[in-house]
Structures are given as structure tokens and as C-alpha cells.
Amino acid sequence: MSTPLLSIENLDVAFHFQDGDYNAINHVSFNVYPNEVLGIVGESGCGKSLTSKAIMGILPENASVKQGSITFRETNLVTMKEKQWQKIRGDAISMISQEPMTSLNPLLTVGKQIAEVLKQHRSYSKKEMKEKTIALMKEVGLPRAEALYKSYPHQLSGGMRQRIVIAIALIASPQLIIADEPTTALDVTIQAQILDLFKNIKNTRNSSLIFISHDLGVIRQVCDRVVVMYAGRVVEQGKVADILYEPKHPYTKGLIQSIPDHTKRGQELYTIPGNVPGLKERKRGCPFADRCAHRMDICHTHFPDEVYVENQAVSCHLYTKEEVKHVSTIH
Amino acid sequence: MRYILYKLATFVATMTLVSIIIFFVFQLLPGNPAHIILGIEAEQAQIQQLEQELGLDKQATERYVDWVTGLFQADLGESLKYQLPVSDILVDRIPVTFSLGILSILLTIIIGIPLGILIARTKGKWISVVLSIMTQLGIAIPSFWFGFILILVFGVILSLFPTYGYVPWSEDFFGALRALFLPSLVIAISNIAVIIRYLRNTILDQANMEYVRTARCKGLTERKIMYGHILRNALIPVITILGLTIADTLGGSIIIENVFALPGLGNLLIESISSRDFPLVQSMVLYIAVLVITINFIVDLLYKVIDPRIRAKG
Amino acid sequence: MKKSQSIPWRIGIVLVICLMTMMIISFFYTPFGPNEMNTGSRLEAPSFSHPFGTDNFGRDILSRVMQGAQTAFLIGTSSVFIGLMFGFILGASAGYFGGWVDEIIMRFIDAMLAFPGILLAIMLISVFEPGLKNTIIAIGIMSVPGFTRIIRSSFIQYKTYDFVKASVAKGAGALRIIYHHILPNAFSPILVAATLSFSGAILGESGLSYLGLGVQPPDPSWGRMLKEAQPFIVTAPWYVIIVGVIITMMVLGFNLLGDGIRDKQDTKA
């Protein structure tokens, strides 16, 4: 493939507590290529959002990158100063957050909030900024954009607000857009509309997109490739089609089984037993071991190396051993 | 519209209740007011005449109605001591208290808001710790005692400001400003402390909001995030506190006018209490309370103009 | 983080305990009689025999400050008690019954709040006469609105909780619900309000006494001492300074204590 737009290598992000540092992200590596949509999937508490915050350089006060690199257009973002970050944010990388109800400033008109990005990064005249803003508002599916320009967030519905948030992320035509659970807080019908909007963005814009979701069903609709994260680690990554039809990691299999599906109508929806271990409960070895039906002794002591199985990269002892073939026949 | 109507109704209800409370508290004066006012040696004829003047021969409810009708005709009654209509006496005193109040609120805003921002921005650093100790002290210090100390330091030792008295603005603008500066600072001090602490909390609350993250993701500088986004939101609740501050300022001026011998309402109030000039005391208490209610009413409406969320609801 | 937060709270405790100890000692011992005049030693600067100096009548300021602590604690506790009692009755009725009862009580409370600062107390004292008893009553009444609001909101809040609803459904009586469910939960906000209202009472008393409307001689009070000290601010500045510092310590102590309790309660929640 071509050179990646964004390349994360061996990233560790830790939270600092009184009793020491706890890694919330462990040796995470993945690439984002130009014009692709990369999904990151996993249950909540798996470090998806934290990874995106690390890319934006907006980690919480008590967290920091311990090691590894995030390379964007050949620059390592991790070592950058705040001033340099500010030039990139909103302009080259932008982010769509999961809370459309609270992610807009209640006291500013929505038009101003979109145009603010241009004001920060471009030297357009006021008129040009307004024109561009209104054009984009139309593009993201807001009717009567001229009238909406002057409205306040509370006057809009959740779906419309999310379109505004998306417009904020698109206005400077960034090369990379991170969408963190952009549909989770919305009603199902609105969710479908917003997903359509993302498909549109994918087809019409020259941007790469990182699409974070806990729902593989949503990922399937918009993404080209997917990274599966569990408890701060990447456990499997590859093309969406490959992973969905031939998942390798037991966790991925569990996630796929729990996608609601019309063929399973009437049956109780599958859920993976157990919970994601808390930050302080994580032990050595594979974090999924306690919930895994195929766990072996080695799972409790060593985290497996990433190996290529067919088209995807997997970190699981089932595949690092010789008896790969034997195990895969079990299913 | 419904919001305004509701606020207007409460405004009228509170006004009525306050006037009733004041009126009836003064009805509780032990003994015959005419006796108390004139002293024990007064002659029966004198007492009867005064009783008639005060309307004591009528029923309490009737007197209340008379009093309130009088108020609507700007007739606040007559002072016993000065033998003048109360309104004439107040006209001389109001400008002093009014100037003191305005200056004090200006000082509260000018000093309180920047320091509130500073204390929030320096969270965890020593400046913030020092400021927070100072705000604790500002709230705990008896204001009039702080007045003594300022008189001692700036008036007596450094001779920078006059220690008492008042010059009307029309006579000497800077003289008036100098005379009023220390007392208004003294009145402002606890309000400043309250504003600093309150603004610090609202700023830190707002800084955790999602929209701040959106602003940060736009690539805005911390300065733009603070002044363009956080501060607007953080200042809205501060307006309510400022409303309460105005009431406190009036309350504070009652004591502080006596410390600095300023001829304002507070000074007159205490003077008329010691001379047992009850009609004057009664009218003044009402006047101050009405001011407070009106100001709070205006603040409520102002709130509505500033916050688009409430603006929309009306 | 946690340690630095509890420092102000510890300072508060130390201040309150020191002042309380001073008050308790004053029942048994003061260096001089608090009202013992000595024309030979007027307005003396602090010295070994008079650590805080003497006043314009040659009275020992330390002894008077100690005696004044009794008045301060008496006014503080009794006015908080009065405020709490009436505040509880009004707040509990407003919160428990709601509707028009609530509306009437709250309008009344709003009306009381229209009297800024110590104006309400001044009005009451101007009608009745100045003195220790009326000072306590006036300051107590002044604190009623604050208590009413807090108790009302506790009642409204807990009334909607499931465990309270459940016992209403079981047919538990109003008093029983209040005693078993609402009071234990409302305890700490009320405690915070009581502490802060205590320091408010100290400030209120000093203001009233300064205006000559509070405690009357010969009862010693810190506010009165400041009034008496004011004319000598240039010749005997320590008199003014010491008494003011003592009042500030008392108010600061209770404020820090109240803030500390509130913080603890917030972190628990």
C-alpha cells in the first residue's frame, strides 16, 4: 500500500494516580492510509477514545504518552509543542465527538461556531467565511442553512446539532477526521441518516477518516479497514470484509456474534460474558484471558505477538503456536 | 412572555409582603408610640395631638392602607425630628449612598472578575493558593474593622485619602472620588472575595464541558478558548451573584457610612434610630428593601436578555 | 491532592478549638477582672503583664477578649438554634407539602431576603430595644431564610427518592418518614449551613454592636470593644487590631470548618 497518512507505533498512554502509573493504552500500532476509513471497535473502556485524544493531543490532565510515536505527514506529533498542535488541530486533523447535545457552545450561534475554524486557520474575508460555512451546512444536509446560520444550538434537534458538529470538523477540509462514536447518542432513524452522511463524506471528500464505535454493525457500513481494541491493546486488525467474515481473535468473534441481525430475530442477543477489566485490574498476559473460552496457561503470563493469519493481523496465542490448524478446526 | 409575567407577579407579591412586614413590625413597638417619642413628661394634650398626627386613633389595617396610598403619591410621611417630609430628607442622602453603591459594585467587577479568571487559570500554582487564602480572609474580616485598618494605613500613616466626610460630585469630582474610594473598597471587599471564588468554580466547571473540547479541537489558543468560549458561559451565573452583591452593598453601606461619617442613608438610619424617629426609620427600611427587590427583578430580566436559552423559552 | 485539600479544614479545626478553649478557661480564670478598671494604666501597649495591652479605662484587653468569647459563642449557638428551628419548620413544610404552602412560605422567605445585610436585624432591634437577648433573636431571625431554603431543598430532593416513595406506599406516617429517611440524609448540608451561619452570626453581632444596637455594656462583646477602640485607632492601634484579628479568626475558623464538611460530603457523593 501507499505511505500511511498517520502511523501509530508502539503507543503507550498511562494515567497517573497516587499509587503509580497505569497504562490505559499498551503497545498500540496501526496505520491510516490516505482516503481510507479506518474503524476502531471495542467495548467501552478499551481505550478507543483515549487513542483518538492522543492523536489530537488533548489527553486528560492526568494522562500522558509514555512511549511510542504518532507520525502524521512525517512529523512525530508526540514530541510537538502546544503551539504546533494548535496549527494542526481543526486544520489538518479534526474531531467529531460523541455528544451532540453538549459539544456546542450554548451561547454562540452555530454559524459562528463553524466559521470560527476558518477564522483561526485561514485568512478569508467575513463574507467568504459566511458563504463557505453556509455552503457546507447545505452539504451536510441542513435545510435553510442561511436561517440556521444565526440560530443557537438549543434551537436545533440532536441530529441537526450533530450535522453542525460534523460541519465544524469538515470546514477546513482536514486530511484526517476522527469521529468518536458520532451516532451513539442519537435516535435510530437519525443514526441511519448520519451514517449516510458519513458514506457521502467518504465518497466526496479527500480525507481519511477514523471512525470509532463499539458497534461492528455500524463499522461494517462505513469502514474499509478495522482495528479491534480490547483493554488498551490492539487484538486484531485487517479489512472489514475479512474480519467480519473470518474473525480470528475470540474477542472479535464475540463482538460479531453480538451484532443484532434479522436472521437472529426472536433469539436472545449474544453478549460476551464478563466485563472489560478496570485500569487497575489488568494483569500480565492477555487481558481477554479471563473472558476467553479458549484460554491457555500462557495467556495469563504473556501477551501474544502480532502474527499474520491470512489477511489480517492477530494477537492471540491460538495462532502463535504450531497447532494453529488444529485449533481452528475446533470451531 | 410567561416568564416575564411570572417574574412580575412575584415582584408585586414580594413588594406587598415586604411592606406588610415592615408596617406590622413597627406596630409592635411596645407601649404607646406617642409616649415613647415624646418621653414620659409629655402632657396629655401633646400626646393626643401626636396620636392624631400618626393616625394612631385609626385601625391598624386602615393605617396600612393610608401608608401605602401615601407611598404611591411619593408621600413617605413626616420626620418627627426634622419636622420635614421624609422624602425631602432622603433626597439629600440618596446621592451619597447611591454613589457609594455604584463605586463599590464597579470595584467588585473590576477587581473580582480578573482575579477570578487569574485564580482559575493558575489552578495548582502558588498564586492561586495565595489568592484563595486572601478570599477566605476577605469573607471572614468584619468589613468595618477593615475600614479602620484602611483609615489607619492610607488615611493616617500615608495621608493618601481623607478619613471621613463627603464632598458632592458637583463641587469637586476628584475630591468626591477620593472621599468615596476607601469606603466603597471596604464595602466591596467581601463581595470581591465571593465573586473570585464563585467565578473560579464556574470557570473550572465550564472548562470540563464538551464544547470546550470542541473549541480545543478547532485549534484555538488557550486564550481564545478562555475569553471566547468559557468566560461567557462562566459569567452568566455570576450575574445572579452580582445581583445579590448589590443587596449586600446596600446592607454594607449602613455600617460603613458610619465608619467614614458619610451623610448617606445608612448614616441617617442609625441617627434616626437613636433619636427614635420611627416614621423616618420605617420609610427608610422600606425604601432600601424596595430598592433590593427592584434590583433583583432587573437582574432576573437581564439574565433573560443575556442567555439565549432562557430568551427562547419566554 | 487530597492532603492539600484538608489543610484549610485542619486550620479551621485548630482555630475553633483554640477559641473554644479560651472561652472555657475564661469561666474559671482571666488574668484580670474583665471589668476591672485601672485609671493608672490606660491604653498601655502589649506587655508581659497585659499581653494584649489595656483599653481606655485601663482594663486588661486579654481578659475582656476571653470574656467576650463567651458572648460570641452564646450568640453564635443560640442564633443558629433559633434559625434552625424556624428554618426547619418552614423549610420542612414547604418541601414536604409543596403546592400553595410552598408558594406562600417561599414568598415570605423572599420578602425576608429583601432586607440586605443586617437591615432586618436593625429594624427589629430599633423596635424592641438593643441588648444581648434581642441581638440573639434578631440575628437568629436573619438566618431563617438560609436554613429554610436548604431544608426545603433536602425535603424536595429526598421526597422523590424511591426508598422514600416506597415507605409512603407502605403507609408510613409523615413524621416517621422525616425522622428515618429525610433527616439522616439532610444532616450534612444542614451542618454546613449551621457552621456558616454561626460565623455569619459573629459578623452580624460585631456589626450591630459597632452601631450601638447590639450587646450593651457592661456585657463584654468583641463588636462593642471595636466600637470603643475606634477613637483610639491612632494612639492605641493594637487595641483595634487585636480585637479585629480575634473576630476574623473566629469567623475564618467556622467558615473553613463548614467548607471542609461540604468538601467531604461532595467527595462522598
Side-chain angles (χ1 to χ4, degrees):
Chain A
M1 273 202 234
S2 52
T3 35
L5 176 69
L6 177 90
S7 171
I8 298 184
E9 269 168 72
N10 241 336
L11 187 72
D12 275 16
V13 176
F15 278 99
H16 314 297
F17 292 109
Q18 258 183 346
D19 52 343
D21 288 3
Y22 291 88
N23 274 16
I25 292 179
N26 254 322
H27 299 292
V28 162
S29 302
F30 62 81
N31 290 337
V32 182
Y33 296 93
N35 295 323
E36 80 161 341
V37 180
L38 176 79
I40 302 181
V41 74
E43 291 160 286
S44 45
C46 286
K48 297 167 298 179
S49 288
L50 201 64
T51 311
S52 66
K53 282 177 190 159
I55 300 170
M56 284 302 276
I58 51 163
L59 287 172
E61 261 173 50
N62 60 338
S64 67
V65 172
K66 292 273 280 195
Q67 63 160 343
S69 63
I70 303 171
T71 313
F72 177 71
R73 296 188 304 197
E74 276 136 42
T75 332
N76 185 2
L77 301 181
V78 172
T79 54
M80 259 185 355
K81 299 221 167 64
E82 181 59 24
K83 274 262 164 280
Q84 296 166 287
W85 272 119
Q86 284 164 2
K87 287 206 181 99
I88 288 183
R89 281 188 211 130
D91 188 12
I93 308 180
S94 67
M95 188 158 163
I96 298 162
S97 77
Q98 48 183 308
E99 285 297 333
M101 300 318 245
T102 53
S103 51
L104 293 172
N105 188 332
L107 299 185
L108 298 179
T109 59
V110 293
K112 255 193 195 155
Q113 297 193 51
I114 302 171
E116 195 179 20
V117 183
L118 291 179
K119 204 173 150 196
Q120 181 69 24
H121 297 288
R122 304 278 187 278
S123 44
Y124 290 137
S125 72
K126 272 196 173 152
K127 203 174 146 231
E128 280 174 304
M129 285 198 297
K130 191 170 177 182
E131 280 167 7
K132 283 186 186 295
T133 303
I134 288 175
L136 181 64
M137 284 168 77
K138 286 180 176 155
E139 191 189 326
V140 296
L142 287 163
R144 298 179 299 112
E146 287 86 355
L148 280 183
Y149 186 91
K150 284 214 163 76
S151 55
Y152 287 92
H154 68 269
Q155 296 166 318
L156 310 184
S157 68
M160 284 162 103
R161 283 191 226 187
Q162 192 62 321
R163 288 176 200 271
I164 299 288
V165 174
I166 292 170
I168 291 174
L170 291 179
I171 188 87
S173 304
Q175 288 163 291
L176 179 65
I177 302 162
I178 304 168
D180 186 0
E181 306 259 11
T183 59
T184 310
L186 302 170
D187 294 342
V188 186
T189 45
I190 312 287
Q191 239 181 45
Q193 290 172 15
I194 297 289
L195 276 182
D196 284 340
L197 177 59
F198 272 102
K199 287 181 210 161
N200 241 330
I201 293 169
K202 178 181 162 182
N203 295 332
T204 54
R205 297 207 158 231
N206 282 327
S207 308
S208 302
L209 184 65
I210 297 180
F211 195 99
I212 297 172
S213 179
H214 63 282
D215 183 354
L216 261 178
V218 171
I219 296 272
R220 176 169 58 187
Q221 293 185 51
V222 281
C223 300
D224 304 314
R225 285 192 313 120
V226 64
V227 170
V228 182
M229 283 186 77
Y230 184 78
R233 299 214 182 236
V234 172
V235 292
E236 184 166 4
Q237 52 177 315
K239 290 218 168 82
V240 170
D242 294 334
I243 291 205
L244 277 171
Y245 296 109
E246 277 191 64
K248 296 291 184 276
H249 197 282
Y251 180 60
T252 319
K253 289 176 187 168
L255 284 179
I256 290 170
Q257 265 189 281
S258 49
I259 303 177
D261 177 339
H262 58 89
T263 60
K264 289 184 262 180
R265 185 162 289 170
Q267 298 170 27
E268 199 183 324
L269 198 60
Y270 174 81
T271 46
I272 308 171
N275 292 307
V276 182
L279 204 50
K280 295 186 178 181
E281 296 156 10
R282 293 178 193 172
K283 295 167 241 166
R284 281 192 308 150
C286 173
F288 191 61
D290 290 340
R291 299 170 76 184
C292 183
H294 310 287
R295 61 174 167 261
M296 300 173 280
D297 287 345
I298 190 171
C299 296
H300 293 289
T301 51
H302 292 88
F303 187 79
D305 291 332
E306 194 171 61
V307 291
Y308 282 86
V309 182
E310 288 156 27
N311 290 322
Q312 55 248 56
V314 190
S315 299
C316 179
H317 286 299
L318 292 175
Y319 306 96
T320 54
K321 297 270 177 187
E322 304 277 43
E323 59 269 38
V324 167
K325 278 198 184 113
H326 170 69
V327 172
S328 52
T329 53
I330 294 176
H331 313 289
Chain B
M1 209 46 219
R2 274 190 61 195
Y3 178 83
I4 295 185
L5 281 179
Y6 177 75
K7 284 289 166 194
L8 201 64
T10 25
F11 174 67
V12 173
T14 313
M15 282 281 204
T16 316
L17 254 175
V18 163
S19 65
I20 293 175
I21 292 175
I22 294 175
F23 183 79
F24 282 96
V25 164
F26 281 94
Q27 295 307 305
L28 293 175
L29 276 170
N32 184 333
H35 262 301
I36 298 169
I37 292 161
L38 295 173
I40 318 162
E41 299 105 68
E43 286 172 28
Q44 194 58 34
Q46 268 182 308
I47 289 174
Q48 262 169 7
Q49 197 203 338
L50 185 64
E51 276 182 345
Q52 213 157 24
E53 266 176 44
L54 295 174
L56 288 174
D57 44 351
K58 295 183 197 161
Q59 282 290 307
T61 42
E62 207 177 324
R63 268 177 288 145
Y64 173 73
V65 174
D66 284 353
W67 185 53
V68 173
T69 3
L71 293 179
F72 275 112
Q73 293 154 356
D75 173 13
L76 297 170
E78 193 160 295
S79 156
L80 299 169
K81 184 184 164 199
Y82 295 92
Q83 297 289 315
L84 282 169
V86 169
S87 40
D88 286 6
I89 303 171
L90 292 188
V91 162
D92 286 347
R93 303 294 189 126
I94 288 170
V96 181
T97 305
F98 188 74
S99 319
L100 200 56
I102 295 283
L103 207 56
S104 157
I105 288 159
L106 281 179
L107 284 173
T108 307
I109 296 171
I110 294 171
I111 302 174
I113 291 178
L115 286 183
I117 298 170
L118 182 68
I119 196 175
R121 291 193 70 159
T122 54
K123 186 190 164 202
K125 297 193 185 128
W126 65 269
I127 300 183
S128 165
V129 176
V130 170
L131 273 173
S132 122
I133 294 169
M134 290 189 23
T135 59
Q136 283 285 6
L137 282 175
I139 292 169
I141 285 178
S143 60
F144 64 95
W145 177 70
F146 187 62
F148 296 172
I149 303 294
L150 288 188
I151 289 177
L152 185 64
V153 175
F154 291 101
V156 179
I157 301 177
L158 300 173
S159 311
L160 285 174
F161 293 97
T163 55
Y164 67 92
Y166 172 72
V167 196
W169 294 96
S170 49
E171 261 174 48
D172 175 0
F173 182 83
F174 289 101
L177 200 62
R178 276 184 48 184
L180 291 175
F181 180 75
L182 284 188
S184 10
L185 182 65
V186 170
I187 296 173
I189 207 76
S190 68
N191 290 330
I192 291 172
V194 169
I195 291 280
I196 293 177
R197 284 160 59 100
Y198 196 74
L199 185 58
R200 170 190 180 272
N201 291 345
T202 57
I203 287 178
L204 292 181
D205 283 351
Q206 292 292 328
N208 289 325
M209 299 292 230
E210 202 79 15
Y211 73 81
V212 174
R213 200 168 76 185
T214 309
R216 191 160 288 133
C217 287
K218 288 175 182 175
L220 302 185
T221 56
E222 287 303 313
R223 177 175 286 270
K224 279 187 184 158
I225 294 173
M226 174 62 87
Y227 296 102
H229 288 270
I230 296 177
L231 199 56
R232 283 164 189 258
N233 284 283
L235 280 177
I236 284 189
V238 172
I239 292 172
T240 319
I241 299 293
L242 266 178
L244 297 176
T245 299
I246 297 174
D248 277 352
T249 304
L250 280 169
S253 68
I254 297 172
I255 301 183
I256 301 307
E257 281 175 17
N258 286 284
V259 175
F260 288 87
L262 295 171
L265 289 176
N267 186 279
L268 181 65
L269 179 70
I270 301 306
E271 206 177 276
S272 41
I273 288 173
S274 35
S275 59
R276 310 199 133 275
D277 193 345
F278 290 110
L280 189 52
V281 176
Q282 188 177 353
S283 302
M284 277 195 350
V285 172
L286 180 77
Y287 182 78
I288 296 173
V290 164
L291 258 180
V292 170
I293 303 169
T294 314
I295 290 164
N296 284 342
F297 179 60
I298 294 170
V299 169
D300 268 345
L301 294 186
L302 199 67
Y303 213 90
K304 196 175 150 55
V305 175
I306 292 169
D307 192 334
R309 283 164 294 188
I310 302 180
R311 212 188 306 164
K313 268 185 230 151
Chain C
M1 256 335 254
K2 249 186 182 166
K3 263 187 189 158
S4 67
Q5 270 171 350
S6 66
I7 288 176
W9 146 263
R10 279 182 206 167
I11 295 174
I13 288 191
V14 169
L15 284 175
V16 169
I17 290 179
C18 283
L19 290 161
M20 263 180 148
T21 317
M22 190 168 89
M23 175 203 65
I24 293 166
I25 293 174
S26 73
F27 280 108
F28 311 105
Y29 168 80
T30 48
F32 291 85
N35 293 323
E36 185 186 309
M37 300 191 198
N38 183 350
T39 41
S41 57
R42 280 195 211 163
L43 295 173
E44 274 181 18
S47 63
F48 187 73
S49 57
H50 299 286
F52 287 179
T54 60
D55 71 1
N56 49 322
F57 295 108
R59 295 176 292 194
D60 178 47
I61 294 175
L62 173 63
S63 308
R64 289 180 64 73
V65 163
M66 287 173 73
Q67 185 87 5
Q70 291 180 19
T71 317
F73 275 97
L74 176 68
I75 290 177
T77 29
S78 358
S79 61
V80 166
F81 178 75
I82 292 174
L84 193 54
M85 198 171 68
F86 287 102
F88 188 84
I89 295 170
L90 292 174
S93 328
Y96 193 83
F97 297 110
W100 61 269
V101 178
D102 184 35
E103 192 66 28
I104 289 175
I105 291 176
M106 290 326 283
R107 282 290 79 74
F108 185 68
I109 295 299
D110 276 355
M112 283 177 83
L113 286 171
F115 299 90
I118 55 172
L119 184 62
L120 190 65
I122 289 177
M123 179 175 81
L124 293 171
I125 287 171
S126 70
V127 171
F128 307 101
E129 51 202 49
L132 182 62
K133 195 180 76 192
N134 286 341
T135 305
I136 289 174
I137 295 173
I139 292 177
I141 290 177
M142 238 170 62
S143 68
V144 169
F147 281 115
T148 307
R149 288 189 153 188
I150 282 166
I151 291 164
R152 172 179 175 266
S153 63
S154 298
F155 268 71
I156 290 177
Q157 186 188 346
Y158 292 110
K159 207 170 66 170
T160 59
Y161 277 23
D162 287 339
F163 62 85
V164 176
K165 281 185 183 162
S167 35
V168 174
K170 271 187 243 159
L175 283 176
R176 195 183 156 77
I177 291 168
I178 290 170
Y179 186 75
H180 283 285
H181 297 296
I182 298 178
L183 276 192
N185 286 303
F187 182 72
S188 70
I190 292 174
L191 190 63
V192 173
T195 340
L196 299 181
S197 156
F198 189 101
S199 51
I202 304 296
L203 280 180
E205 183 275 326
S206 71
L208 283 176
S209 296
Y210 170 70
L211 294 174
L213 299 172
V215 178
Q216 300 297 307
D219 291 334
S221 114
W222 295 342
R224 260 211 86 72
M225 289 174 78
L226 276 184
K227 181 184 174 65
E228 289 164 3
Q230 191 190 10
F232 310 103
I233 186 162
V234 180
T235 43
W238 61 85
Y239 188 6
V240 167
I241 291 170
I242 285 169
V243 178
V245 167
I246 293 283
I247 298 178
T248 306
M249 277 167 62
M250 180 87 143
V251 177
L252 185 66
F254 277 91
N255 278 347
L256 292 177
L257 212 61
D259 286 355
I261 299 171
R262 180 167 41 204
D263 287 348
K264 281 189 184 187
Q265 157 202 333
D266 284 351
T267 46
K268 248 196 305 184

